[in-house]
Amino acid sequence: MKKQPLYPRILISAGLLMVTMPLLFKEYLPIPDFVRGFLLGAGGVFEIAGIVLMKRSQKSGACS
């Protein structure tokens, strides 16, 4: 398997972090529903953007 570019990997990692943190913090800190929903939505967008960028780089053959 080829090594993927750095930027899509960072996007996917940030997205996963944004999706999981509100679920973990819910037990210890009172987080408003709006903030939790925003973080879940933004994390999902980051993950999808990272996957799309990875697929584009694979098609163009620009893996570094």
Side-chain angles (χ1 to χ4, degrees), residues 10-26:
I10 290 174
L11 279 177
I12 292 175
S13 299
L16 286 173
L17 188 67
M18 289 175 74
V19 167
T20 56
M21 280 302 162
L23 299 173
L24 295 174
F25 285 155
K26 181 175 68 171

Side-chain angles (χ1 to χ4, degrees), residues 9-59:
R9 290 188 291 164
I10 290 174
L11 279 177
I12 292 175
S13 299
L16 286 173
L17 188 67
M18 289 175 74
V19 167
T20 56
M21 280 302 162
L23 299 173
L24 295 174
F25 285 155
K26 181 175 68 171
E27 300 293 324
Y28 305 109
L29 298 172
I31 298 175
D33 289 338
F34 173 76
V35 173
R36 190 170 54 193
F38 177 77
L39 288 174
L40 289 172
V45 168
F46 282 169
E47 289 179 25
I48 291 170
I51 291 170
V52 168
L53 286 175
M54 243 185 229
K55 291 296 181 183
R56 282 186 184 172
S57 68
Q58 285 178 351
K59 285 183 181 178

